[in-house]
Amino acid sequence: GQQLNQSPQSMFIQEGEDVSMNCTSSSIFNTWLWYKQDPGEGPVLLIALYKAGELTSNGRLTAQFGITRKDSFLNISASIPSDVGIYFCAGRSGSARQLTFGSGTQLTVLP
Amino acid sequence: DGGITQSPKYLFRKEGQNVTLSCEQNLNHDAMYWYRQDPGQGLRLIYYSQIVNDFQKGDIAEGYSVSREKKESFPLTVTSAQKNPTAFYLCASRAPGGAYIQYFGAGTRLSVL
């Protein structure tokens, strides 16, 4: 089946720093989604990407749909303590009937 | 307001016991999903349902069962056959359209006594 490789697995950063994480796929995706999960809660959709090369922002978050259609990137600028959580990428190829999820990036923001 | 409600938030299971996790949505979505999440791991698909009275096994269906008698409800039963049930369980529903965007409930944490 499809596989998503998400990296890094975890990050420890200082408050105010920028953050980058990415996902790569073994197959071409038509949709890329980025979710954030707070501790003990369900994931919440942050950004949805629908075509290759697309760059979309949501406040301090920016995500890009890679031009090869096999990768996606999420950047967080000027991190704050409430950015702490697990960030998941998810995607879907044209033939799949459900999403494939990455294993998540655990983000810790140090004061 | 619209959303997905999972209950209970915390659940404890004794040896040999079946337990049922509730998932209700008022988003009028056709498709619903159950995922299992273990510490440090991603989401693994247990079962999904595209429409009422129909459901399919996901990647880790053994030891679990589901039903879909109503559009709003997709309960998950963790049976005694599931030998390692301790995990965080997430229910999701999917919005119409080709993007397959899923919306999640707040989760149920199941532990074994």
Side-chain angles (χ1 to χ4, degrees):
Chain A
Q2 298 171 4
Q3 295 185 358
L4 277 185
N5 181 27
Q6 185 171 352
S7 65
Q9 191 172 13
S10 63
M11 302 181 73
F12 292 81
I13 61 168
Q14 294 292 136
E15 184 175 354
E17 289 184 347
D18 297 343
V19 173
S20 292
M21 59 191 77
N22 69 85
C23 277
T24 57
S25 167
S26 57
S27 57
I28 290 174
F29 277 12
N30 293 333
T31 304
W32 280 101
L33 307 173
W34 284 93
Y35 288 87
K36 183 196 176 193
Q37 183 180 28
D38 289 329
E41 298 294 329
V44 174
L45 182 68
L46 298 173
I47 294 177
L49 302 162
Y50 302 102
K51 59 181 182 179
E54 180 180 355
L55 188 71
T56 298
S57 293
N58 178 6
R60 292 178 296 104
L61 278 62
T62 301
Q64 184 165 23
F65 194 139
I67 57 174
T68 67
R69 297 173 65 192
K70 290 186 175 183
D71 55 8
S72 181
F73 307 87
L74 177 70
N75 296 316
I76 305 173
S77 63
S79 58
I80 59 177
S82 63
D83 290 334
V84 166
I86 304 175
Y87 292 81
F88 289 100
C89 62
R92 176 181 172 261
S93 71
S95 60
R97 301 185 71 180
Q98 58 261 0
L99 295 175
T100 300
F101 284 85
S103 55
T105 294
Q106 173 75 62
L107 178 63
T108 301
V109 180
L110 303 171
Chain B
D1 53 333
I4 301 171
T5 302
Q6 290 188 240
S7 63
K9 183 66 176 176
Y10 300 95
L11 187 59
F12 297 90
R13 193 192 91 165
K14 296 180 181 178
E15 288 283 338
Q17 187 181 42
N18 293 352
V19 292
T20 298
L21 285 60
S22 170
C23 178
E24 303 278 331
Q25 55 102 357
N26 60 6
L27 300 169
N28 201 33
H29 290 168
D30 286 316
M32 297 185 72
Y33 303 80
W34 274 106
Y35 293 92
R36 170 177 171 144
Q37 186 178 26
D38 293 285
Q41 297 192 29
L43 308 180
R44 293 187 290 169
L45 183 64
I46 304 172
Y47 269 98
Y48 65 101
S49 169
Q50 306 271 39
I51 199 167
V52 174
N53 292 323
D54 184 60
F55 49 84
Q56 286 82 40
K57 293 180 179 180
D59 300 320
I60 56 165
E62 186 174 349
Y64 301 96
S65 66
V66 294
S67 63
R68 187 82 188 278
E69 298 176 1
K70 299 186 299 182
K71 187 175 186 177
E72 313 83 63
S73 179
F74 190 39
L76 173 74
T77 297
V78 184
T79 74
S80 57
Q82 173 49 248
K83 298 306 180 187
N84 183 23
T86 297
F88 191 52
Y89 291 86
L90 287 161
C91 177
S93 69
R94 175 168 61 83
Y100 274 53
I101 293 175
Q102 294 181 19
Y103 297 92
F104 288 84
T108 293
R109 185 165 299 281
L110 175 62
S111 302
V112 176
L113 290 177

